Amino acid sequence: MELLEGIETRRSFRAFKPTPIPEEIVKRILQAASNSPSYTNTQPWEVAVVSGRKKEELSEILLDLAKSAPPNPDLPLPKAWPPELEQRSKEHGARRLKALGVEREDAEEREKLRLMNYEFYGAPCVIFLFMDRALGEWSIFDMGLFAQNLILAAHSFGVESCLQASITNYPDAVRKFLGIPETKKLIIGISMGYPDMEAKLNTYRAVKQKPEEFTRWYA
C-alpha cells in the first residue's frame, strides 16, 4: 500500500472479527510507529498492548464503571467548542445515528452504542498510550503523531482501528489493572483488529472538510 493511498483510505471501524492479530504483525506496527517525530527526540510514548483474557477482564471493569461512575479522564473533556466546530460535531453525530437507523430520541439504543466503547467494539486487541504526568502540551502533540503513525502502519497490514477517548474515562482503573504507576497519564486507547465489513456499524464514514475550507494561501 502506497503512503498516500493509506492516508486517504484509513478510517475508523467500530465492529471487528474475533480473529487475533499475529504478535509479529503487532511488533511490526509498533516498530513503524517508533519512527515518529517528537520534540527534541524525547519520544514520550509508553505503550500497553492488551489482548486475550486480560482484554476481556478489563472490558468488564470498564463496563461496570461506565454504567455507574462519572468519567474522570486524565485529559479533561472540552467544556465548549467554537460554534463552527460544535455544529460539525452535531452533524457528524446525527449522520452516524441515521446510518445506523437509530433515532436521536431512542435513549436505550444510544446507550447501547455508548457502552460498546467499553467492549472495544469486539476488537481482539486494544492499545493504550501513556506518557509521564510531568510532561506538557508538546508531548501530547508528540503522542498524537505516534498514534497517527500507529494506525496508519496497522492499516497497511489490513489491521483497522478506532481511536477511543471514551476508554480513557477511567484511567485509575486501567492503571491499576495493568500495573501502570500513577505517574503515567493515559492519553488514548486504540481498539485494533480485522474489521467486520458486514456490520452496520462499519457502513458509516465521517465527512471530511475539503482543503479549500481550512486553508489560507499567502504569497
Side-chain angles (χ1 to χ4, degrees):
M1 182 183 296
E2 294 184 357
L3 179 60
L4 282 178
E5 180 189 0
I7 294 171
E8 291 173 349
T9 58
R10 186 224 62 86
R11 64 186 181 99
S12 296
F13 285 84
R14 289 179 172 83
F16 296 90
K17 298 177 181 179
T19 310
I21 308 169
E23 184 176 323
E24 184 57 34
I25 296 296
V26 177
K27 288 180 178 178
R28 291 183 69 184
I29 291 168
L30 292 169
Q31 178 61 47
S34 72
N35 196 46
S36 300
S38 61
Y39 186 71
T40 66
N41 198 36
T42 45
Q43 304 172 67
W45 39 82
E46 299 183 35
V47 180
V49 181
V50 188
S51 59
R53 181 177 57 82
K54 283 289 189 181
K55 187 209 69 169
E56 300 302 328
E57 290 175 0
L58 181 56
S59 174
E60 290 179 9
I61 292 169
L62 293 178
L63 268 172
D64 286 344
L65 287 169
K67 294 173 183 176
S68 60
N72 185 33
D74 289 334
L75 295 185
L77 297 173
K79 294 182 179 178
W81 296 99
E84 183 179 351
L85 275 64
E86 183 176 9
Q87 182 62 26
R88 197 178 299 151
S89 177
K90 287 181 177 178
E91 290 173 355
H92 166 71
R95 282 193 295 263
R96 184 162 169 257
L97 288 176
K98 183 177 180 180
L100 298 175
V102 176
E103 298 293 332
R104 180 167 288 276
E105 297 76 21
D106 192 339
E108 184 177 348
E109 284 301 312
R110 292 182 65 185
E111 177 67 358
K112 288 180 183 178
L113 289 174
R114 184 183 77 88
L115 292 177
M116 289 176 73
N117 278 283
Y118 304 97
E119 296 171 332
F120 312 125
Y121 294 115
C125 176
V126 59
I127 292 180
F128 292 96
L129 302 186
F130 296 87
M131 74 176 199
D132 194 279
R133 194 175 290 279
L135 299 174
E137 292 177 345
W138 276 112
S139 294
I140 294 175
F141 179 85
D142 295 340
M143 297 295 293
L145 296 173
F146 181 87
Q148 176 77 343
N149 280 346
L150 183 77
I151 62 177
L152 285 174
H155 180 49
S156 75
F157 286 102
V159 175
E160 303 299 352
S161 61
C162 185
L163 292 157
Q164 292 178 258
S166 293
I167 57 177
T168 68
N169 279 341
Y170 306 100
D172 292 332
V174 176
R175 277 188 290 265
K176 180 179 179 180
F177 182 79
L178 298 178
I180 305 291
E182 174 62 28
T183 55
K184 307 302 177 182
K185 184 182 291 187
L186 177 55
I187 303 301
I188 194 68
I190 309 172
S191 291
M192 299 179 66
Y194 299 102
D196 179 356
M197 300 306 294
E198 303 301 317
K200 202 169 186 178
L201 278 166
N202 287 335
T203 61
Y204 173 71
R205 185 164 186 176
V207 176
K208 304 297 185 181
Q209 285 188 293
K210 294 179 173 61
E212 55 266 28
E213 297 178 272
F214 58 74
T215 305
R216 296 180 183 180
W217 295 82
Y218 299 87

